[in-house]
Amino acid sequence: MNQSLTLAFLVAAGIGLVVQNTLMVRITQSSSTILIAMLLNSLVGIVLFVSILLIKQGVSGFHELASTVRWWTLIPGLLGSFFVFASISGYQNVGAATTIAVLVASQLIGGLALDILRSHGIPLRALVGPVCGAVMLVVGAWLVARRQF
């Protein structure tokens, strides 16, 4: 996949996330718990991915799935569920813009830290631009989060 298509997918995913969270807040408001929205979200994903795995690899895909499971392979699902929970809670309690600003800023800081750890001795000069960008994004997130509607 080329960079332009990848960036287009990222933009579409970002917009889709806003739509998803808005709809999940609506589901939460019409049910007794946020868990209903989260379960519906997860069930759709499970049905979709089970269907794709079955179509692409047949029953052997499920054998591979079972042999791949380790305790640590469950961590991404826990983190993803936490992300969805935090996003829905954020949309409900502080609004979409604040939720997105804080999530994006925190993801950038985490990603930058991971890239630095993986780089094994990156020169300090090479960090100036990315660190300045991260600082500006954090300041922008703070400005968005402190606003009152």
Side-chain angles (χ1 to χ4, degrees):
M1 185 178 328
N2 66 34
Q3 284 186 339
S4 296
L5 188 56
T6 299
L7 292 174
F9 280 164
L10 290 170
V11 168
I15 293 168
L17 186 62
V18 172
V19 173
Q20 175 199 23
N21 285 339
T22 302
L23 292 172
M24 290 181 70
V25 166
R26 188 167 179 195
I27 294 166
T28 299
Q29 291 169 340
S30 64
S31 61
S32 63
T33 177
I34 194 172
L35 295 174
I36 301 296
M38 292 181 67
L39 276 168
L40 285 171
N41 180 61
S42 296
L43 286 172
V44 169
I46 288 170
V47 169
L48 174 66
F49 295 131
V50 163
S51 300
I52 292 171
L53 183 63
L54 189 58
I55 290 168
K56 289 188 78 161
Q57 296 186 346
V59 177
S60 66
F62 294 101
H63 294 294
E64 182 180 350
L65 171 66
S67 68
T68 303
V69 174
R70 308 283 182 277
W71 72 267
W72 59 267
T73 62
L74 303 178
I75 294 172
L78 292 171
L79 292 172
S81 294
F82 177 67
F83 182 88
V84 171
F85 172 79
S87 296
I88 296 169
S89 298
Y91 271 57
Q92 285 180 307
N93 297 309
V94 296
T98 297
T99 299
I100 293 165
V102 172
L103 285 173
V104 169
S106 61
Q107 286 176 315
L108 179 63
I109 291 169
L112 187 58
L114 184 63
D115 285 348
I116 290 169
L117 289 172
R118 286 183 171 176
S119 70
H120 304 295
I122 188 168
L124 194 56
R125 288 179 81 193
L127 294 176
V128 172
V131 169
C132 286
V135 167
M136 287 190 284
L137 188 59
V138 168
V139 169
W142 177 75
L143 289 171
V144 169
R146 67 184 280 273
R147 59 98 171 105
Q148 298 291 320
F149 286 116

